[in-house]
């Protein structure tokens, strides 16, 4: 059997963390089995579905690298197929028209609740033939009246639900629109879905969908219902916990590799291994190793993984992501300045994310408007003039602009003036970077143009002169 999985989000908002994890598990299982991964957009809720939300889903999947083999397929393009099969079920006596009004149904449910019963449609129109002419109706599926639906779930083991617990599901609304549960069944059948990976909130839908599949004489896929994700505080993950949209993690400076690695471990494990490349995920992934317990989101763990990948991925990969953040800041890194991969090499172990990396690295690509006030007050004082003048002379005299020669020039300045390295290095650092924090000066300055160093030292000397005369 060729494995076919699917991710089937509703386009009513962004791609959230829980959906992304479901997509990842579904994608990984298909890849681990040499199968096919289908992306299906379940947009039958026309009022709530938006083009922006559809694009947000596609953008999130692309950013994570979860490429689909088939799709995206939109349910709204398949209404004729759904309606044809609903008519087939009507013709075969497996579905029926129900003329009960909303008011009647609400009154029945209210009475059931007051009697302590589970609210459900009582099957009033199930066998009736006295259909009123031109009256509005829904189409309901004739759910079996006895027996059990048994699901051998990959995550939860055997799930057994009595058909007496299920009422006759609406499969077509009064406006002729097919309902979610019916569309899903037809799509899974037509697309040859063999394994359905989805959230535990769908467990109640599964027996209904299995009964419809059986009525259509369609094969039953295997199921894996994954548990919810909780926030750091143990409550269901929501906006109050911070970023829950996948693309918000991109905006906050996380690498997709870190997010994927984090998501795969939110409910799945392979021994004690914490770091997984995508190839390793595919190699080791199994639906049967997904935990049935809810997973707690741990932001500190995600930050740790992000730092790991910033430091260990090829510099060019991190640089490609970093470039986007500079663009958002309006900083041009293409026409001048060092290669971004060189910036990554010296800054990766100093920050938590790419936003921070971009923010502390702008001095490589554009002049700063002013010096950091605290650093300037401490280090750009009249006492620093002599050191700045001499180190400028020594740096501009270098014939080879290398880290070794830059460090030698700084050392020589300190030796000539008979002062500690801090008396030279700190004023030079503030002059060239605008602040008192940077990687070591030899690896920082080598990424800047020699003439630019001279210009920035001159700017610092002007600052000192103004301060002297004020």
């Amino acid at each position: 059997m060729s494995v076919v999985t699917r991710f089937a989000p509703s386009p009513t908002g962004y791609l959230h963390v829980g959906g992304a994890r479901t997509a990842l598990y579904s994608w990984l299982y298909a890849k681990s089995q040499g199968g096919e991964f289908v992306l299906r957009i379940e947009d039958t809720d026309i009022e709530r579905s938006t083009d922006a939300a559809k694009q947000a889903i596609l953008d999130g999947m692309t950013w994570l690298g979860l490429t689909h083999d088939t799709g995206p397929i939109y349910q709204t393009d398949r209404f004729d197929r759904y309606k044809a099969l609903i008519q087939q079920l009507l013709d075969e006596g497996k579905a029926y028209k129900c003329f009960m009004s909303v008011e009647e149904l609400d009154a029945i449910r209210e009475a059931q609740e007051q009697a302590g019963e589970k609210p459900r449609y009582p099957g009033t129109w199930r066998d009736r033939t006295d259909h009123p002419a031109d009256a509005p109706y829904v189409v309901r599926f004739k759910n079996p009246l006895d027996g059990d639906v048994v699901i051998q779930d990959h995550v939860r083991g055997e799930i057994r639900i009595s058909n007496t617990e299920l009422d006759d599901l609406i499969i077509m609304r009064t406006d002729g629109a097919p309902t979610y549960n019916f569309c899903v069944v037809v799509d899974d059948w037509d697309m040859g879905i063999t394994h359905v990976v989805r959230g535990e909130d769908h467990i109640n839908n599964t027996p209904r969908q299995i009964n419809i599949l059986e009525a259509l004489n369609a094969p039953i896929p295997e199921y894996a219902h994954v548990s919810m994700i909780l926030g750091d505080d143990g409550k269901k993950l929501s906006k109050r916990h911070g970023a829950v949209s996948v693309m918000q993690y991109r905006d906050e400076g996380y690498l997709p590799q870190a997010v994927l690695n984090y998501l795969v471990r939110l409910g799945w494990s392979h021994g004690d291994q914490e770091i997984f490349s995508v190839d390793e995920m595919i190699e080791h992934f199994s639906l049967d190793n997904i935990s049935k317990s809810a997973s707690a989101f741990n932001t500190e763990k995600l930050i740790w993984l992000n730092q790991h990948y910033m430091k260990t991925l090829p510099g060019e990969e991190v640089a490609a992501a970093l470039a986007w953040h500079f663009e958002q800041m309006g900083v041009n890194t293409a026409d001048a300045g060092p290669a971004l991969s060189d910036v990554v090499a010296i800054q990766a172990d100093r920050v938590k994310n790419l936003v921070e990396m971009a923010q502390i690295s702008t001095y490589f690509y554009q002049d700063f408007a002013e010096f950091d006030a605290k650093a300037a007050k401490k280090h750009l004082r009249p006492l620093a003039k002599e050191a700045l003048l001499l180190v400028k002379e020594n740096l501009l005299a270098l014939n080879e602009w290398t880290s070794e020669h830059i460090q030698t020039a700084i050392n020589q300045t300190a030796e000539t003036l008979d002062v500690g390295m801090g008396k030279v290095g700190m004023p030079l650092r503030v002059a060239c970077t605008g602040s008192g924090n940077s990687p070591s000066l030899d690896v920082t300055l080598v990424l800047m143009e020699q003439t630019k160093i001279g210009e920035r030292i001159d700017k610092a000397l002007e600052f000192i002169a103004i301060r002297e005369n004020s």
Side-chain angles (χ1 to χ4, degrees):
M1 177 183 66
S2 178
V3 167
V4 183
T5 68
R6 47 78 158 179
F7 177 53
S10 298
T12 55
Y14 46 73
L15 176 60
H16 57 81
V17 167
R21 184 189 63 171
T22 299
L24 173 60
Y25 285 177
S26 186
W27 184 86
L28 283 174
Y29 188 67
K31 298 304 173 186
S32 71
Q33 302 300 311
E36 179 183 343
F37 177 67
V38 177
L39 176 60
R40 185 171 78 221
I41 307 297
E42 297 188 339
D43 57 346
T44 54
D45 189 344
I46 295 173
E47 290 185 1
R48 296 179 62 220
S49 298
T50 67
D51 290 340
K54 292 174 185 177
Q55 191 58 51
I57 290 168
L58 297 176
D59 289 345
M61 296 290 283
T62 299
W63 184 68
L64 290 171
L66 301 180
T67 54
H68 46 272
D69 303 297
T70 301
I73 297 168
Y74 296 91
Q75 287 186 330
T76 47
D77 295 334
R78 292 172 44 79
F79 272 24
D80 289 346
R81 170 65 170 160
Y82 307 138
K83 291 178 179 179
L85 286 174
I86 289 171
Q87 187 59 51
Q88 175 185 315
L89 290 177
L90 284 168
D91 294 342
E92 294 174 351
K94 297 175 180 177
Y96 61 94
K97 295 177 181 179
C98 171
F99 295 86
M100 181 176 285
S101 69
V102 174
E103 292 75 18
E104 286 180 275
L105 185 58
D106 286 345
I108 290 171
R109 286 176 172 166
E110 184 177 346
Q112 289 170 335
E113 287 179 350
Q114 289 178 351
E117 300 171 2
K118 179 180 178 181
R120 53 184 293 141
Y121 171 72
T124 306
W125 286 90
R126 183 178 175 106
D127 298 311
R128 288 175 63 171
T129 58
D130 55 331
H131 295 173
D134 301 323
Y137 64 87
V138 298
V139 175
R140 290 183 179 272
F141 171 68
K142 275 190 177 180
N143 196 79
L145 296 175
D146 51 24
D148 295 338
V149 181
V150 180
I151 309 160
Q152 298 297 340
D153 192 273
H154 280 273
V155 178
R156 301 173 183 282
E158 182 177 289
I159 301 173
R160 183 179 295 269
I161 298 167
S162 171
N163 278 314
T164 59
E165 295 292 313
L166 308 175
D167 57 5
D168 292 346
L169 184 72
I170 294 175
I171 59 175
M172 191 178 80
R173 302 183 184 94
T174 54
D175 62 1
T179 60
Y180 163 80
N181 273 298
F182 187 75
C183 297
V184 168
V185 165
V186 177
D187 290 343
D188 286 346
W189 179 24
D190 286 353
M191 296 167 197
I193 303 302
T194 63
H195 293 75
V196 173
V197 182
R198 58 188 180 188
E200 65 180 351
D201 53 322
H202 286 283
I203 289 177
N204 289 335
N205 293 326
T206 302
R208 302 176 183 276
Q209 293 173 8
I210 288 176
N211 283 337
I212 298 173
L213 284 163
E214 289 180 338
L216 292 168
N217 296 314
I220 311 299
E222 297 180 32
Y223 293 91
H225 290 93
V226 299
S227 297
M228 70 174 65
I229 300 174
L230 305 177
D232 302 75
D233 57 1
K235 297 179 180 179
K236 186 176 179 180
L237 190 67
S238 67
K239 290 181 180 179
R240 71 175 179 274
H241 296 103
V244 291
S245 160
V246 164
M247 297 310 283
Q248 192 174 339
Y249 284 104
R250 177 202 62 178
D251 297 349
E252 293 183 1
Y254 292 91
L255 287 161
Q257 294 89 339
V259 175
L260 280 177
N261 194 153
Y262 185 74
L263 289 178
V264 80
R265 290 285 289 111
L266 267 182
W268 173 85
S269 62
H270 176 69
D272 296 327
Q273 188 171 340
E274 293 286 350
I275 306 296
F276 290 87
S277 67
V278 172
D279 287 343
E280 287 175 320
M281 293 182 204
I282 293 171
E283 178 185 355
H284 299 302
F285 187 77
S286 166
L287 293 177
D288 298 319
N289 284 343
I290 298 173
S291 171
K292 68 173 65 174
S293 302
S295 302
F297 201 91
N298 184 328
T299 303
E300 290 302 315
K301 184 68 171 291
L302 176 58
I303 290 170
W304 176 79
L305 281 168
N306 200 50
Q307 290 175 311
H308 167 82
Y309 280 103
M310 286 192 298
K311 291 184 283 188
T312 60
L313 282 175
E316 292 74 16
E317 285 189 44
V318 182
L322 179 63
W324 183 86
H325 290 280
F326 274 117
E327 289 170 12
Q328 303 310 299
M329 295 168 59
V331 177
N332 180 8
T333 61
D335 297 333
L340 283 172
S341 56
D342 291 335
V343 172
V344 170
I346 66 169
Q347 299 281 39
D349 61 354
R350 306 182 70 247
V351 295
K352 292 181 179 179
N353 56 60
L354 296 176
V355 170
E356 292 180 4
M357 191 182 297
Q359 289 171 341
I360 67 170
S361 303
T362 55
Y363 59 80
F364 287 117
Y365 301 99
Q366 63 182 26
D367 290 330
F368 40 86
E370 56 187 26
F371 299 103
D372 174 77
K374 186 176 180 180
K377 182 179 180 180
K378 184 175 182 180
H379 300 293
L380 296 186
R381 299 181 296 164
L383 287 173
K385 280 171 50 179
E386 187 178 20
L388 285 173
L389 285 166
L390 184 55
V391 77
K392 172 190 170 185
E393 180 183 334
N394 288 339
L395 288 170
L396 295 184
L398 294 176
N399 293 321
E400 293 183 59
W401 194 245
T402 65
S403 296
E404 294 77 12
H405 286 85
I406 289 169
Q407 190 60 56
T408 298
I410 296 171
N411 293 344
Q412 287 177 343
T413 303
E415 291 172 8
T416 300
L417 298 177
D418 194 23
V419 296
M421 285 294 296
K423 299 293 185 183
V424 179
M426 287 309 300
L428 178 60
R429 175 174 278 109
V430 177
C432 295
T433 70
S435 77
N437 294 304
S438 78
S440 61
L441 281 171
D442 56 337
V443 299
T444 300
L445 300 189
V446 75
L447 298 184
M448 303 167 70
E449 294 180 9
Q450 195 170 10
T451 55
K452 178 65 69 176
I453 298 299
E455 292 170 6
R456 290 191 176 174
I457 293 175
D458 286 342
K459 180 180 178 179
L461 289 168
E462 290 173 13
F463 177 88
I464 292 172
I466 294 171
R467 187 174 173 183
E468 259 187 315
N469 299 323
S470 62

